[in-house]
Amino acid sequence: MSQTVSAKICGVKSPADVVAAAQAGARYVGFVFFAKSPRYLTTEEAAALAADVPLGVAKVALTVNASDDELDRITGAVPLDMLQLHGKESPKRVAEVKARYGLPVMKAIGIADAEDLPQIDLYSEVADQLLIDAKPPKNADLPGGNGLAFDWRLLAGRKYWQTPWMLAGGLTPENVAEAIRMTGARQVDVSSGVESAPGVKDAGKIRAFLAATEAQDA
């Protein structure tokens, strides 16, 4: 019997994005606190959006190499359910953030080839969840949300880690079903794959993405 696939819509920027994600069945929405991203939100904007997120949908803050001061400001202003560390944070830093804020921590891990896979086991010892993403190109402005996928075959046969994990990187309504079949992922994350332009979510694409994941539950 198959398990339900949960989806995270990352980079929501408007009340309409939140409504579209929730109505389509997303289990998580992501607020981006990285100034270089077209999906960037101020704490004031994120706090206003958080008020619109219905119960049962987890609110995740995406940060990149954030200092304690930055995280203090974000967590003090926005009601959150999880912190996502999407930079080069060490396992020690992940543990520090968990201890300081008392929130579950999701650590993003960039994958380009098999040499990157040991990081999954390393971070699974300290993070509450893992986000397995495509490694960004060298000198890329964004650590994620680049619309790039990695070779999903690298994860084939490795369905069960110590820690819950989420597949990300280049997912779209058209390829997410294949990605789920190839990797065994029970959670998926999408940002640019459900946009009509950078930072502009498309409600129709969000619905199509969730419908494609739900087809894997049958």
Side-chain angles (χ1 to χ4, degrees):
M1 185 175 178
S2 63
Q3 296 174 292
T4 298
V5 176
S6 299
K8 173 170 168 275
I9 307 299
C10 198
V12 296
K13 289 194 67 177
S14 71
D17 293 347
V18 171
V19 170
Q23 289 185 344
R27 301 292 181 87
Y28 308 79
V29 291
F31 303 140
V32 175
F33 297 97
F34 182 59
K36 291 184 179 180
S37 172
R39 304 163 190 96
Y40 171 72
L41 294 173
T42 65
T43 53
E44 293 80 11
E45 291 169 334
L49 283 186
D52 293 330
V53 178
L55 291 174
V57 178
K59 302 176 290 295
V60 183
L62 186 158
T63 66
V64 180
N65 303 320
S67 65
D68 284 350
D69 286 346
E70 291 176 274
L71 292 175
D72 287 349
R73 178 173 51 81
I74 292 167
T75 57
V78 186
L80 296 167
D81 299 299
M82 183 176 290
L83 293 171
Q84 178 178 329
L85 306 184
H86 212 107
K88 296 181 179 179
E89 300 89 357
S90 67
K92 179 182 177 183
R93 177 59 175 161
V94 173
E96 289 173 352
V97 171
K98 282 182 59 175
R100 181 178 177 91
Y101 299 99
L103 287 169
V105 173
M106 178 187 293
K107 178 66 181 86
I109 298 172
I111 300 295
D113 52 44
E115 293 181 358
D116 297 314
L117 293 176
Q119 294 183 80
I120 296 173
D121 293 313
L122 180 65
Y123 281 97
S124 71
E125 297 178 3
V126 291
D128 296 286
Q129 293 211 41
L130 303 174
L131 182 84
I132 302 179
D133 199 356
K135 182 180 284 188
K138 289 184 178 180
N139 302 318
D141 287 334
L142 303 178
N146 293 297
L148 301 175
F150 62 94
D151 187 350
W152 297 321
R153 290 173 296 183
L154 290 168
L155 302 185
R158 294 195 48 153
K159 298 180 183 180
Y160 306 106
W161 279 288
Q162 181 177 335
T163 304
W165 61 280
M166 187 175 289
L167 181 67
L171 298 180
T172 68
E174 292 75 29
N175 69 14
V176 67
E178 179 185 5
I180 291 168
R181 285 195 296 270
M182 289 184 68
T183 64
R186 307 320 305 166
Q187 299 190 108
V188 290
D189 173 285
V190 66
S191 185
S192 60
V194 291
E195 293 179 344
S196 57
V200 181
K201 291 291 185 284
D202 183 304
K205 290 183 178 182
I206 290 175
R207 288 193 297 271
F209 186 87
L210 268 295
T213 67
E214 289 168 1
Q216 304 310 299
D217 303 338

